[in-house]
Every structure is written in structure tokens, then in C-alpha cells.
């Protein structure tokens, strides 16, 4: 009886391994897809935020420019128009971020960093390992036992 079960299990083992490998592949693909969708949603929120900020900055810029021009007409002092220069840079930067190709330039620079300056991307103390994570978890549990009134970080 046991011999029949062993033979049957040995016949199905390759199929089970293939099934498990396929399920792992599908799981990893789904995780990658989910992370990419989350990244896209976060990026779209950042772009929308930049555009909303541009509306506010643009409105302020127009009102301030009108006020400065009116002040210049009355006083005839060019110093009244001086704040227009830095405000122009701020509004221009925000417009480039919201509607221009600044994000493409940022992405290009990020690709250059990844290709040519990988040392800047290294984590302090290297990648976490399973043992370092377990040590931190055990240390936190120990601290919780020693100091139960202190909330964990």
C-alpha cells in the first residue's frame, strides 16, 4: 500500500513542482503590476499637485504683478518691480513641472544616476538581511517586555 502511494506521488511530483513554479511566477508578476500601478497613481497625484500649486502661484503672480506695475506708475521707482524677477523664476519652474517636460528631464537624470553613479544608490549598512530583520524584531520584543509603557517607534 505504501509503495503504491510513493509511486503515485513520484509521478505527480513534477506536475506539482511545475504548478508551484507557475503560481510563483504569476504571484511575482501580479506584485510587479500592483507596484507599478501604485507608482503610476502616486506620480499622477504629484503631477496634479504641481498643477494645482501652479494655479495658485499663477494667480498670486498676476495679482502681484498688477500691483507692482500700478505702484511703479505712481512712484516711478524701478525698485517696486524688483520682486517680479524671483517670482517669474518660481512660476516658470512650477509651470515647467506641471505642464512642461521637466519630468522627462528628471527621469533622464535618474537613469544616468542608475547607470553611472550606482554608488550613490547604496543603502547605509547595505541591504537588510533576514537575520538583521529577525534581530531587530527580537530586540523590539525584548524592549517591549522590559519597558511595556513605552510605545514602539
Amino acid at each position: 500500500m505504501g509503495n503504491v502511494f510513493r509511486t503515485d506521488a513520484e509521478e505527480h511530483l513534477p506536475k506539482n513542482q511545475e504548478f508551484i513554479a507557475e503560481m510563483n511566477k504569476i504571484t511575482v508578476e501580479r506584485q510587479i503590476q500592483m507596484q507599478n500601478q501604485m507608482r503610476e497613481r502616486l506620480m499622477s497625484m504629484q503631477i496634479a499637485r504641481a498643477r494645482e500649486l501652479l494655479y495658485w502661484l499663477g494667480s498670486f503672480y498676476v495679482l502681484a504683478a498688477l500691483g507692482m506695475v500700478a505702484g511703479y506708475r505712481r512712484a516711478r521707482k524701478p525698485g517696486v518691480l524688483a520682486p517680479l524677477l524671483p517670482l517669474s523664476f518660481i512660476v516658470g519652474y512650477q509651470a515647467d513641472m506641471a505642464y512642461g517636460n521637466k519630468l522627462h528631464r528628471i527621469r533622464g537624470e535618474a537613469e544616468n544616476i542608475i547607470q553611472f553613479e550606482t554608488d550613490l544608490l547604496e543603502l547605509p549598512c547595505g541591504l537588510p538581511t533576514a537575520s538583521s530583520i529577525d534581530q531587530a524584531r527580537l530586540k523590539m520584543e525584548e524592549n517591549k517586555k522590559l519597558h511595556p509603557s513605552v510605545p514602539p517607534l
Side-chain angles (χ1 to χ4, degrees), residues 15-134:
K15 284 187 177 182
N16 286 341
Q17 288 176 337
E18 289 175 21
F19 176 75
I20 290 170
E22 184 67 26
M23 291 306 294
N24 286 340
K25 179 182 173 190
I26 290 171
T27 301
V28 168
E29 288 174 354
R30 289 184 75 199
Q31 287 175 349
I32 291 170
Q33 190 60 244
M34 181 183 67
Q35 287 177 351
N36 188 49
Q37 286 182 14
M38 291 303 294
R39 183 195 58 81
E40 288 174 351
R41 291 176 186 183
L42 289 173
M43 286 295 295
S44 67
M45 287 293 291
Q46 289 177 345
I47 294 168
R49 182 180 179 270
R51 289 179 180 178
E52 181 67 20
L53 183 60
L54 177 64
Y55 300 149
W56 284 89
L57 283 175
S59 300
F60 173 75
Y61 180 77
V62 168
L63 290 173
L66 291 174
M68 285 181 238
V69 168
Y72 174 74
R73 284 188 171 181
R74 275 192 230 132
R76 296 286 182 207
K77 293 182 182 177
V80 174
L81 297 175
L84 275 179
L85 182 64
L87 284 175
S88 297
F89 279 102
I90 292 170
V91 171
Y93 177 87
Q94 196 63 34
D96 190 25
M97 179 68 92
Y99 290 103
N101 61 357
K102 184 161 194 64
L103 289 175
H104 295 289
R105 293 191 311 269
I106 290 171
R107 184 179 307 131
E109 184 61 27
E111 289 172 358
N112 284 337
I113 291 170
I114 289 172
Q115 287 179 349
F116 303 113
E117 301 177 49
T118 55
D119 57 322
L120 297 176
L121 303 176
E122 293 176 11
L123 291 171
C125 302
L127 284 175
T129 62
S131 63
S132 68
I133 293 170
D134 286 339

